[in-house]
Amino acid sequence: MSEEREHKTFEGAMEELQNVVEKLEEGNVPLEEAIEMFKDGMELSKYCHERLQKVEAQMDKILNEDGEIEVLTIEGEKSE
C-alpha cells in the first residue's frame, strides 16, 4: 500500500473503493487497466478491513463505572 493511502481516512478509502468498483462494473475498461484497478481495489479493501478491525478492538474496550478500561465479552460478562 502506498504511503498516500496509509494516511487516508476510512471514508475516503471507501469512496475510492466504490469508484473503482463502479468503473469495473461498467465493463468498458481495457484489460490491463482493469487489472491495475482490481489491485488498487484489493489494497483499498484490505486497508478498510484493517481500519474496521482496529475500531472493533477499540469498541471491545469501554470505561467501566470506575473510569477503568475493561474488555467486554459476549453477553456482557467481564473478562478477568
Side-chain angles (χ1 to χ4, degrees):
M1 181 177 301
S2 71
E3 187 169 319
E4 178 182 326
R5 287 200 177 130
E6 291 178 15
H7 301 290
K8 182 176 292 219
T9 64
F10 174 80
E11 291 79 9
M14 282 297 296
E15 183 176 336
E16 190 173 339
L17 178 58
Q18 189 172 15
N19 289 336
V20 168
V21 170
E22 287 174 1
K23 287 180 183 176
L24 288 174
E25 285 180 342
E26 289 174 2
N28 55 2
V29 179
L31 180 61
E32 296 299 323
E33 187 177 340
I35 291 170
E36 289 302 315
M37 291 177 71
F38 181 79
K39 288 179 183 176
D40 288 345
M42 292 302 294
E43 288 181 13
L44 288 164
S45 176
K46 180 181 175 186
Y47 172 80
C48 290
H49 180 74
E50 289 171 353
R51 293 291 303 245
L52 287 173
Q53 284 182 321
K54 287 180 183 178
V55 170
E56 185 178 323
Q58 291 173 338
M59 296 296 288
D60 286 343
K61 297 179 180 178
I62 64 167
L63 293 176
N64 67 17
E65 293 176 3
D66 298 326
E68 298 172 352
I69 294 176
E70 65 183 50
V71 177
L72 293 178
T73 58
I74 296 174
E75 298 176 2
E77 295 178 13
K78 294 180 181 179
S79 65
E80 297 186 29

